[in-house]
Structure formats: structure tokens, C-alpha cells
């Protein structure tokens, strides 16, 4: 069996291990899915009328549902990524990683199995939120290309944020720290074009919103679902996702190599 085949086999084994953890402790998964669901219901039924009227050209609750649904999908990816920091910190602080390193397995499979499990969990959460948005009345105008583009951007974002949270989890000195350190990922979408147009913000805040990673990503998703070309936002979205992935992957590998039971 080749090295690549051995790595793939061990990664699948680690994927099964992490999926079993998620099944045995479903409360965290349920909470991670419930949070974006509550956000969607809150922003549509509590704020939707007022927020919709503030959209360019005016609008109502249905218009705001179409505007905010792509943002809630982005928040869903962020929420699931948070849990991976907890799993990574738990393995590092309880000595599980040290135990794996003494076993005849591909060392890279420990982290890759964690990331693969997170992608499965993200796909499940996105499906639930998407079906709820459609049930509430959201009708995307995306064609096949638009859907593929949206799925591709969400996948790139999930990979980037998952590797970032793996690194944050390995860097944390406790599970409690790991559960708090990635919280900025939930807050950043609120300072972007996710919930309101950046034109409605003050000058300084608008500059921050327009130059942070989540704004081109959410604008690309919105364009894909509306069936129009995303333009330069697509290149920025892919660039940010690739940059975060490369830096986070390198950081996580370095921390994994030095990780010891704490």
C-alpha cells in the first residue's frame, strides 16, 4: 500500500472517530445548528420589516429574507467551525494527540480527520438552514452555475475557517479558552454587508466592513443566489479563503508537531 493510500485510510479512520464523538455528544451539534436557525427567524420575523424597508429601493420582510439568507448560511459555517477548536483543544490537552503520535499511523490523518468531520457537520447544518429559509419563502434565482458557485464558495470558506479553528484549538491552553478564542468569527459578519448594506454605516465602519474578508464572500454568495455575475468579489472571496487556509494549515501543522499534553 502506498503512502498516499495509507494516509487516506488513516484519515477515514479518524473521520469515523470524530463523527462518532459528534453522534455520542449531539448537544453541541444541535446548538451549532440551532444558533443560525434562531438568527434567521429573529432577523426575518422581528427585524425583517424594518430592515427590509432600509434596503436600497425599499422593500419588505420577503425582500429582507432574500437579502439575509446568504448571510445566515455564512454564519452557519462560522458556528460549526467554532466547535472544531473545542475538539482540537480537547485532544491536545488530554494527551490524545501524544498517544496518536506513538502509533503507526499517518500523523497528518489526526488533523485531516478532524477537518473532514467538520465538513460533514457543516454540510448537515447548511442543509437544515437552507431548507428552513426555503420553507419561510426564500426562492433563489440561481441557475446550475449559480448553485455550483455558492456551494464552491461555502466549501472554500468552511475549509478555511475549520483549519483556522483547528490552529486556535491547538494554541489554546484549555478547552474553555478554545471555546472563546474563535468568537470573533461570529461577530465579524455583523460588521460586513451580511445584515445591512455597508452604505448605511458610518464612514469609518463602512471602510472596515468593505475591507474585511466576509464582505466579498457574502456579496459573492448573494450574487450567485440572485443569478447574476459576482464580478471582482469572486476573486477577492477565493483569495481570502485560500490565504486563510494556507496560513492556518501551516500554523496548525507547526502546533501539532509541538503539541504535548498540558
Amino acid at each position: 500500500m502506498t503512502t498516499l493510500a495509507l494516509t487516506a485510510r488513516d484519515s477515514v479512520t479518524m473521520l469515523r472517530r470524530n463523527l462518532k464523538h459528534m453522534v455520542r455528544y449531539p448537544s453541541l451539534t444541535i446548538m451549532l445548528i440551532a444558533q443560525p436557525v434562531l438568527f434567521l427567524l429573529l432577523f426575518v420575523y422581528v427585524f425583517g420589516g424594518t430592515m427590509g424597508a432600509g434596503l436600497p429601493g425599499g422593500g419588505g420582510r420577503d425582500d429582507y429574507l432574500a437579502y439575509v439568507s446568504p448571510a445566515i448560511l455564512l454564519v452557519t459555517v462560522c458556528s460549526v467551525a467554532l466547535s472544531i477548536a473545542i475538539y482540537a483543544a480537547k485532544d491536545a490537552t488530554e494527551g490524545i494527540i501524544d498517544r496518536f503520535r506513538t502509533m503507526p499511523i499517518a500523523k497528518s490523518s489526526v488533523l485531516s480527520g478532524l477537518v473532514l468531520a467538520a465538513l460533514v457537520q457543516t454540510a448537515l447544518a447548511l442543509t437544515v438552514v437552507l431548507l428552513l429559509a426555503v420553507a419561510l419563502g426564500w426562492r433563489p434565482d440561481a441557475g446550475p452555475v449559480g448553485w455550483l458557485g455558492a456551494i464552491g464558495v461555502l466549501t472554500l470558506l468552511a475549509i478555511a475557517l475549520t483549519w483556522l479553528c483547528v490552529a486556535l484549538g491547538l494554541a489554546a491552553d484549555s478547552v474553555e479558552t478554545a471555546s472563546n478564542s474563535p468568537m470573533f468569527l461570529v461577530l465579524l459578519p455583523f460588521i460586513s454587508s451580511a445584515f445591512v448594506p455597508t452604505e448605511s454605516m458610518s464612514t469609518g465602519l463602512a471602510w472596515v466592513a468593505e475591507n474585511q474578508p466576509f464582505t466579498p464572500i457574502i456579496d459573492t454568495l448573494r450574487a450567485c443566489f440572485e443569478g447574476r455575475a459576482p464580478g471582482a468579489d469572486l476573486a477577492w472571496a477565493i483569495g481570502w479563503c485560500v490565504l486563510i487556509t494556507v496560513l492556518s494549515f501551516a500554523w496548525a501543522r507547526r502546533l501539532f508537531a509541538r503539541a504535548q499534553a498540558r
Side-chain angles (χ1 to χ4, degrees):
M1 188 176 289
T2 64
T3 302
L4 182 61
L6 286 170
T7 301
R9 183 200 64 183
D10 293 340
S11 296
V12 171
T13 301
M14 289 297 168
L15 168 63
R16 288 203 301 268
R17 167 187 178 263
N18 289 297
L19 290 178
K20 285 181 179 177
H21 276 186
M22 294 173 184
V23 171
R24 288 174 182 171
Y25 304 101
S27 58
L28 182 57
T29 301
I30 292 172
M31 185 193 71
L32 294 172
I33 296 175
Q35 179 174 298
V37 165
L38 290 174
F39 276 172
L40 180 61
L41 295 174
L42 178 69
F43 276 94
V44 171
Y45 288 109
V46 178
F47 305 127
T50 302
M51 305 282 263
L55 294 175
R61 183 173 283 109
D62 291 341
D63 297 302
Y64 192 68
L65 172 62
Y67 184 87
V68 81
S69 291
I72 299 298
L73 293 176
L74 181 144
V75 170
T76 304
V77 175
C78 296
S79 297
V80 175
L82 298 184
S83 68
I84 302 308
I86 297 174
Y87 287 118
K90 195 169 185 295
D91 283 350
T93 57
E94 294 182 352
I96 302 299
I97 287 179
D98 287 340
R99 179 70 182 95
F100 283 143
R101 282 197 297 208
T102 65
M103 299 172 67
I105 61 173
K107 303 301 180 290
S108 60
S109 65
V110 178
L111 297 186
S112 59
L114 200 59
V115 172
L116 290 173
L119 294 180
V120 172
Q121 196 177 29
T122 301
L124 173 64
L126 286 174
T127 301
V128 171
V129 174
L130 181 63
L131 291 177
L132 175 62
V134 171
L136 294 179
W138 184 36
R139 296 293 181 268
D141 295 321
V145 175
W147 278 104
L148 286 175
I151 292 171
V153 170
L154 287 170
T155 302
L156 286 176
L157 178 66
I159 293 172
L161 297 187
T162 300
W163 275 113
L164 175 59
C165 286
V166 167
L168 289 171
L170 294 177
D173 56 6
S174 68
V175 174
E176 289 75 17
T177 302
S179 66
N180 293 323
S181 56
M183 286 305 293
F184 67 92
L185 294 176
V186 175
L187 300 177
L188 272 181
F190 290 92
I191 314 174
S192 73
S193 61
F195 297 98
V196 296
T198 57
E199 295 81 4
S200 65
M201 301 177 183
S202 62
T203 303
L205 197 58
W207 186 90
V208 174
E210 290 169 357
N211 291 281
Q212 62 120 316
F214 283 143
T215 292
I217 293 172
I218 189 63
D219 288 347
T220 299
L221 287 175
R222 196 166 283 136
C224 290
F225 285 124
E226 291 176 357
R228 55 184 173 83
D233 287 325
L234 177 60
W236 279 105
I238 294 175
W240 275 115
C241 289
V242 171
L243 179 63
I244 294 171
T245 300
V246 171
L247 294 178
S248 300
F249 176 74
W251 188 23
R253 279 194 62 184
R254 185 175 180 182
L255 291 169
F256 177 77
R258 299 190 321 189
Q260 296 180 346
R262 289 168 285 197

